[in-house]
Amino acid sequence: MSNTPILQVENLSKHFDVQTGLLRREKKTVKAVTGLNFDINVGETLALVGESGCGKTTTTRLLLRLQTPTAGQVRYDGEDIFQLKGAALKSYRSRVQAVFQDPWSSINPRVRIHDFVSEPLIVNEKLSSSEVDRRVHEALDAVGMRPQDARKFPHEFSGGQRQRIAIASAIVSRPRLIILDEPVSGLDVSIRSQIINLFKDLQAEYGLSYILVAHDLATTRYLADRVAVMYLGQIIEQGPVDDVFDAPAHPYTEALLSAALSADPTEARTEIPMNGEVPSPLNPPSGCAFHPRCHRRLGAVCDVKSPTLQAYGPHHSVSCHLHDRQPTA
Amino acid sequence: MTLSHDMNDRGIAMHNRISNIRHAPKRLLATALLAGTILAAGGLGNAAIAQEKVVIAVSPLGADSNLYWTTTGAFIFPSMQTLVGNDPETGGYDNSQLAESWEHSDGFKTWTFKLHPNATFNGDWGPVTSADVVHSFNLHIGEDAKLSGISRFREMTITAVDDHTVRFDLPSPDPDFLFSHAGRGSLVIYSKAQFDAEGLEGYETAPAGSGPFQYEGREVGQSLTFSTIADHWSGVTAEFDQIEFRWVSEPSTRFAMLSAGEAHAVTLPRDLSDDAMEAGQTVLSSTAGAMQSTMLFTGQFMNPEAEENRDARTYAWADVRVREAVNRALDRDAILEVLYGEGVQALPVYTMDPRFPGYSEEIATGFDDAFGYDPERAMELLADAGYPDAFDNAAIPLVVTSLAGNPEFAQMAELVQAYLDVVGIETEMREQDWATGNTAIRGFTADFVTPMRNAPVRPSALGVQIFFTKHASPHLDVGDPELNELGAMLIDETDPATRDQLLQDMFTRIFETYAHIPMASVPASVAVNSELVEGWTFPGSTSSGLSHYHLIDLK
Amino acid sequence: MTQSQDAPLLEVKDLRVEISTKAGSFFPVNGHSFSVRSGETLGIVGESGSGKSMTAMSLVRLLPKHAARITQGSIKLNGRELLSLSEAEMRKVRGSEIAMILQDPQTSLNPAFTAGQQISEALRLHSPGPRSTLRARAIDALRKVKVAAPEHRVDNYPSELSGGMRQRVVGAIAISCEPKIIIADEPTTSLDVTVQAQYLRLLSELQQETGMGIIFITHDFGIVANLCHKIVVMYFGRIVESGTVERIFARPAHPYTEALIGAVPKLRGHKGRLRTIEGQPPIPTEPLSGCPFAPRCEKADNRCFNELPPTVDADGDGEHLASCWRVLEQ
Amino acid sequence: MLLYLTRRIASSLFALLVISVIVFLLSHLSGSPVDALLPDDATQEQVDSFIREWGLDKPLWQQYLTFLGNALQGDFGTSLKWPGEDAMGFVLDRMPATLKLGGLAILISVVIALPLGIAAAVYKGSPIDSLAQVFALLGQSMPNFWLGIILIWVFSVWLGWLPTSGTGTFAHSILPAIAIAWFQVSALARLTRSSMLEVLDAEYIKLARVKGVSETQVIWKHALRNAAVVPLTYFGILAASILTGSVVIETVFSWPGMGWVAIEAIRGRDFPVVQAVIIAYAVIYMLSNLVVDLLYVVVDPRIRHG
Amino acid sequence: MAETSPNAPIAPTFWSKASDLPLIPIGLLLIVFIIPAFFAQWIAPHDPYVPNLGARLQPPVFFGGTWEYALGTDRLGRDILSRILHGAWYVLAVSMIGIAVGVVVGTTLGLVAGYARGWFDGLVMRLVDISLALPAMLLALALAAAIGASFLSVVVVVGFALWAYFARQVRAEVLLLRNSDFVARSQVAGASHVRILFRHILPNVTNTVVVLATLQVGIAIMLDASLSFLGIGIPRPTPTWGLLVSDGRDFIATDWWISFFPGLAILLTVMSANMLGDWLRERLDPRQRQI
């Protein structure tokens, strides 16, 4: 694992204006994500975990430049991606790719596999058609599909095969970073393990970096090197996956892990009960956003003051008043 | 003249001012409640009709008003009267209406009418006097008048000589003046007393007339009802209590009404008349020819120097050989049999009629020789003229006016096209409504062959001027200097024999130059329910063909 | 885990469902036998298309009309044969004796009616009462599934509720008539882990209170391991292995079960390469001889391809059955 | 909700404005009213004064503004064909007849189409379904004037049950309403069927059955409530179709409603009435769509609370 | 977990496809519509335009007529069968061109409106409202009165009457599609708006458009017939079916065959087109619900 970041996210925020009320007169702001800071290094996998509505998806859409941020920057090779134009943008587009959750909806049913897989090449690079063919075959081969599959249409494949095809399209332009948005949660157990293995193999072979968005913690543990736990649009804990999973610092991470069911009947499980549900991002709680559900609530400080992300261990940071006075190691 | 109105004349005018408007919002609200209201509106109606009410279904007419002068003059209410009447048997003028007698000066410029002394208005509006005639005359030349033939009225003056005598002074001789009192666009006599008491609103609500029927009311767009007057001043009385006119535009619906016994009499296209007869109904024809039918070449095509429509010289029919070929190519007997069936008569020259001056026996007997079906002759003529190569505009547009609701016009055009096709004359159908056609004619850009009706049959002198010279209608003339010259002489000529000769000369000129495509003289016909109606004598002297309703003879 | 020892609440024997399509007919449920006791949770595990849901629907006799029908077998609830009941009688069973929780809380509530209306509808059908009582009982049911402020929620439309809340409402509908058996068809798939955990805990608590039997249909081994007492593993319309959770996780007898368990990522322990199962399940309408898993089985031999394996007692005590030639050999 | 309504009304008004431009321009594309309304032997003075009177000599945009200004006050001028009649008043006067016919047609459509569509969906693939489909297809493939004439012959002439044409009693409206409704029945039945099929596949229908709800209740309570949304969407189009249908059918049955006015006015080049009638049609359409929008809210709580 | 995805039709084998073909409507369409449209001049027994006044109003064979005029003759003695056969071409042309106008205009506007949203979307939807609010029949009347009835005016009216349906439907689909994962994926890949619209979204609405177009055949033919009824259809002597039915309507009670057989031709064609449309709809897009 190299320490050169390929993507640096600085203070990234995205807020949406929503009109509510009887006459839609009241304007409210949904803070989808606020003040995100993280890096992704070459060959590394960073996982974003959290419940639905925590801002994972918005983050990926920002990184993919499908949306523009309210504030903050995303630097790719030192340049803010939201300022990229022309050739530089094309370069970013072909170097950063994505794989989505639903293998049924992420492939255009009307397009042949060849055309689907080759699209990132066609729109970003000027290659001869034979070169494109070669690259498509190479990519299909890498994901375990046959070259003759390129002539077929998506409906001729099963879900697992479609996900392989989606991955082929993501790697065809030889990207450096792939954003994996719940890439296995729509797959059957036996297929899921194949795809997880495939991701690991591709990473090893091409030195890819991944940003993984997942709600399945076990999958995250298998794929990720580092993990960022998000709650209501903010990162509340970040660190190496084993550290975080073995010794979660934030009560939310703790509760999240305790809720996950292990596929081992012998393993003892102590579930930490969380009160209620995730609050609406329209009306986020004051102070620490997690305080109404927190089982380790300290008192008034949690209700009033929002904690900041601070170092907790080596490469491990957390945003919680519990650890306010702890010295940085 | 009247391209528009003649084409559109199959029915009767109507109008309603009854206070529907006031109730509209309330009714709107009520109907918005839809279903409930509708269901509450009434049980199943009784389809059978009361015996004492005669129902006549005809197609709707152009303008629709109780104020006759604001319409084009196609329908005179049976409650209203004019000065002069028509004899039901012959169609000739008689004194069955308000004038007991009339006379004219030698030069046909002064006409004096004596009213029936006992004539009275219905509904207690008093006797009919010359004051009523003057009053009505003034209404007829008013700003809102849209009557056909209005310009003739506007040029004359009227004087009430005494209570029962009126005199008209005309700027130019008019031997056919009676037509203005017993034909299209006649002077209809309204009650001055009613006007003085109620104003126009009185007319709009219930115009008092002097006819054998009294205005009862109307449903706009649907019907118009009159009741019979038991002791009419003229002594005529219908044998039924009421008469209702129903406006029904679909012929098949009218046929259905007749068959279902909902209507005593309906007007039908020719083919449906046949069907009605087959189904056991009776078809009654007018006693005299009610309508002349033709196809006219438009444009001032007979004058190569014409300034008005320079394009006319390039029309194929500017060549007399083409015109003759067109006429020769048509098998009139076959066409007329299809279009009009029985009772139809050959028409050598459109607007020429045995009832009126100018009729030429010579032309009539020579018609077959000159216009008889002879496709070989037609083709020779065309070859001689170098048709079609020698013509820039070889194709002849044939106008069809389905929109105006003249079913036989479409067929006429289709048949003519088929016959012309046989001899090699190119045609194209042009679906064009009469207003568009009229605009073209008025603008001297008319470039088509159009079907035309003359109904009721006008006096020849009037008709020939309207359709062939520039004097009565400056647009529809054929552009022939000779015809225009003859027409100019006719205007001032008062000697009957000379007039007759001038007219004969004009008809001969039209005939010899093949200036149009004459078709037929046709009686008006009406289908009656044979179980309800015994007979009905009417002369076919009005635009709609129907009149003399008091003569309907029920079973 | 409480496990009652009396006679089975629900006993299914040799159940077979046939589906007819234009391409041919096949058996998505093929010779199923299993039983559920009161207070017991049976997990039915399998991948997509293995026939799990079809099994669930056949238990309440709500198979798609025309296309599918039960051709043989027996379903006994408390000793009463369900397959011989009339449709009207069966309707009384549904909801009151056997309830169901469906997969997707987004779509399994009728958007046109409030939560309360949908709960009280079930109540009214099986134990009618005046409107006010029904409402009170609906609120009760919501309280039982731990919905906060049930007296407000009862008047909410599904669109006004969160996913977890909706699934609780579905749960409330299911338990409102105090059924003996609840069939839960992947009820937590679309829920967040935390919500899922709460929901499963709720189900366990309700089970302990009422002693109902639960049939839990899932593909998630985490749920099976934590919630179920017994498991039935399905592959291609057949039960390939059944037994207690402990035994199956400890010593899977069928290669398919073994591979499946190996393919699941774990939360603890070694993070090596996951096991995979290569290939695809067979096409249902195509003729097949031998073990349906044979083409994907690492241990298959000639006999596996040619002869359908019998169901054998893997541990010799009748508590662990598997359908595999290799088990027979051992 | 209120905002939603305001916006709907605003956009309808905009639509009406555009329609008014179209209507105005169309009238001025065609032959001059001079030729339609003045006698053929009218003098030039008459023609000139007519042109002045009707403002035909002014530039087009000025004519339009005058037209719009008057139209906003409900003044579309005086009818040319029905002398003395206020154009809009005349049209409004005919409106109840059309609404009555349209209302009955809608009622017939709904009363026949809904059960038919539901039956076809519930018994999909059965003879009932086939029958409903054939019935629906028949309706969609028969020109309505043809159907109208056939109805007249069968029910009025041969059977003698109902009057052939005209207005008066409720009986008069039955045949024309059926002739208009027939096409709608088929369209609505097909729509109901497909929407019902979709709803019947939904999970909540499954859940209702699992609850032990009887099939009748499942269909009429659970399914229909949701399936009704789609046919409701169609109501706007239904209104438009019924208006369009009434143009032809009113002619066949001599029903003096707006359709009849429209045809007579266009044939007679009665521009004020033509303009009034088209605007009136458009307003009815917009209003019916607004009503549909409101009905939505009643049927679908998602919108009420969304 | 989705056991089967709605987007995933089971790949049909050749035979299941072939046996599924709706042979009856296709056959009917061919016999009544397509073959006559292209080959009328060879298969029609008589000239459709030339009157034969000696053979007026002949009844059809089996109803007292002869095989010479199998479906009877009209008032001018023209062979009904030949007129129907020749009319097919015009009906085909009007419905196809009219629908093509509707498809091109409607699809383009719907596509751009749904994708671009914003003011353009608002404008297009208002235009749709306007188009639906103006009864096509009235517009046709006004148009015919204004510029005369012609083949062109009929096509314009048919196109005008239909485009809004396409625009509405296409827009609705595009709204869904533009948020789909595969569009997001193309955006990630860097595809331009034009490429996304035409390579990705357009192919996915073609099913809808095709199905809708098939179902609109009926509406187009009906409209043509109604226009002929009002006398503003394609001008004579062109024997469009609408004109034939319209011309024969007076004789339904007596010489019924004049309008019955053209009516039957319309009925069979529209019915077949609708059946084909239904089949396509079930085949191509089970979710689509359109009239």
Side-chain angles (χ1 to χ4, degrees), chain B residues 1-2 4-5 15-17 20-21 28 34-35 38 42 45 61-64 70 146-147 149 151 154 220-222 246-250 252-253 255-257 259 262 403 433-436 438-439 442, chain D residues 31-32 35-41 46 81-85 90 93-96 99-100 103-104 107 149 152-153 156-157 162-167 169-171 174 251-252 254 256 260 264 267 269:
Chain B
M1 97 156 155
T2 192
S4 54
H5 307 124
H15 186 54
N16 180 10
R17 295 234 100 210
N20 283 338
I21 298 171
L28 199 71
L34 297 179
I38 294 162
L61 249 214
D64 180 10
T70 66
K146 298 200 174 66
L147 217 47
S151 51
R154 290 209 168 111
V220 172
Q222 192 171 222
R246 296 267 292 272
W247 322 123
V248 179
S249 48
E250 275 297 287
S252 56
T253 309
F255 187 20
M257 289 176 75
S259 307
E262 281 182 40
L403 197 56
D433 73 327
W434 45 264
T436 309
N438 243 351
T439 305
R442 201 185 286 278
Chain D
S32 163
D35 296 303
L37 295 156
L38 283 186
D40 305 297
D41 50 4
Q46 259 181 301
K81 179 172 168 144
W82 294 276
E85 289 280 4
F90 189 66
D93 212 24
R94 309 267 69 79
M95 196 186 266
L99 289 183
K100 187 171 158 186
L104 189 58
L107 194 74
I149 294 168
I152 290 177
W153 277 98
S156 303
V157 181
L162 295 163
T164 54
S165 60
T167 58
T169 64
F170 175 64
I174 295 176
T251 308
V252 172
S254 292
W260 169 85
E264 291 294 316
R267 283 182 176 164
R269 285 290 197 287

Side-chain angles (χ1 to χ4, degrees), chain C residues 303-321:
Chain C
R303 182 160 58 161
C304 295
F305 279 99
N306 294 316
E307 291 174 60
L308 190 67
T311 303
V312 293
D313 190 342
D315 298 347
D317 60 358
E319 291 286 309
H320 188 182
L321 305 175

Side-chain angles (χ1 to χ4, degrees), chain B residues 394-414:
Chain B
I396 298 176
L398 298 178
V399 165
V400 200
T401 54
S402 313
L403 197 56
N406 293 305
E408 93 265 20
F409 279 7
Q411 283 188 68
M412 186 190 288
E414 278 183 313

Side-chain angles (χ1 to χ4, degrees), chain B residues 162-493:
Chain B
D162 61 42
D163 263 7
H164 287 90
T165 312
V166 284
R167 191 182 74 233
F168 294 89
D169 291 300
L170 283 56
S172 56
D174 187 357
D176 298 313
F177 187 58
L178 293 181
F179 186 73
S180 297
H181 298 279
R184 221 191 141 98
S186 305
L187 178 60
V188 170
I189 309 305
Y190 283 79
S191 160
K192 183 172 187 298
Q194 189 189 10
F195 186 85
D196 292 340
E198 298 176 348
L200 273 184
E201 208 163 300
Y203 290 173
E204 284 164 354
T205 315
S210 52
F213 295 94
Q214 179 159 358
Y215 181 91
E216 282 293 324
R218 69 159 81 225
E219 288 288 320
V220 172
Q222 192 171 222
S223 66
L224 184 55
T225 310
F226 301 91
S227 57
T228 301
I229 289 171
D231 50 349
H232 190 250
W233 63 265
S234 69
V236 303
T237 304
E239 57 171 287
F240 43 85
D241 297 334
Q242 284 195 319
I243 182 165
E244 178 180 332
F245 295 88
R246 296 267 292 272
W247 322 123
V248 179
S249 48
E250 275 297 287
S252 56
T253 309
R254 296 200 294 272
F255 187 20
M257 289 176 75
L258 183 74
S259 307
E262 281 182 40
H264 291 73
V266 302
T267 53
L268 291 178
R270 191 261 150 148
D271 290 295
L272 275 184
S273 292
D274 288 357
D275 288 337
M277 279 193 283
E278 262 174 52
Q281 312 295 13
T282 311
V283 174
L284 302 174
S285 293
S286 61
T287 48
M291 172 185 85
Q292 292 174 332
S293 135
T294 188
M295 288 188 94
L296 290 181
F297 299 111
T298 61
Q300 286 61 37
F301 56 92
M302 278 171 75
N303 180 8
E305 308 302 322
E307 275 305 310
E308 298 105 336
N309 185 1
R310 300 182 68 88
D311 287 341
R313 71 190 67 172
T314 69
Y315 303 159
W317 58 90
D319 188 319
V320 67
R321 289 167 296 190
V322 174
R323 297 201 298 271
E324 185 183 348
V326 167
N327 275 297
R328 290 288 197 173
L330 303 178
D331 183 351
R332 282 187 173 70
D333 292 344
I335 292 174
L336 299 182
E337 162 61 22
V338 171
L339 293 181
Y340 303 110
E342 281 171 32
V344 67
Q345 286 173 340
L347 176 70
V349 177
Y350 185 60
T351 69
M352 184 173 92
D353 189 282
R355 281 172 290 179
F356 297 109
Y359 185 76
S360 159
E361 201 61 47
E362 194 185 335
I363 293 176
T365 50
F367 182 63
D368 266 352
D369 277 349
F371 281 74
Y373 181 45
D374 189 349
E376 277 83 30
R377 166 90 178 132
M379 283 187 272
E380 280 169 31
L381 284 163
L382 291 173
D384 190 34
Y387 186 90
D389 305 330
F391 294 84
D392 291 339
N393 299 305
I396 298 176
L398 298 178
V399 165
V400 200
T401 54
S402 313
L403 197 56
N406 293 305
E408 93 265 20
F409 279 7
Q411 283 188 68
M412 186 190 288
E414 278 183 313
L415 284 167
V416 166
Q417 176 175 56
Y419 278 105
L420 296 187
D421 190 56
V422 171
V423 300
I425 297 173
E426 297 167 23
T427 52
E428 61 185 44
M429 293 278 183
R430 189 181 287 179
E431 189 80 44
Q432 171 181 285
D433 73 327
W434 45 264
T436 309
N438 243 351
T439 305
I441 289 171
R442 201 185 286 278
F444 294 109
T445 56
D447 62 342
F448 42 79
V449 171
T450 182
M452 193 72 75
R453 281 186 190 163
N454 183 22
V457 178
R458 293 170 170 85
S460 305
L462 190 56
V464 75
Q465 297 275 42
I466 288 173
F467 291 104
F468 295 100
T469 78
K470 61 180 183 182
H471 303 297
S473 129
H475 317 92
L476 200 50
D477 71 302
V478 297
D480 182 31
E482 190 179 326
L483 268 178
N484 283 333
E485 196 178 312
L486 289 168
M489 289 158 69
L490 187 64
I491 292 174
D492 297 317
E493 185 53 59

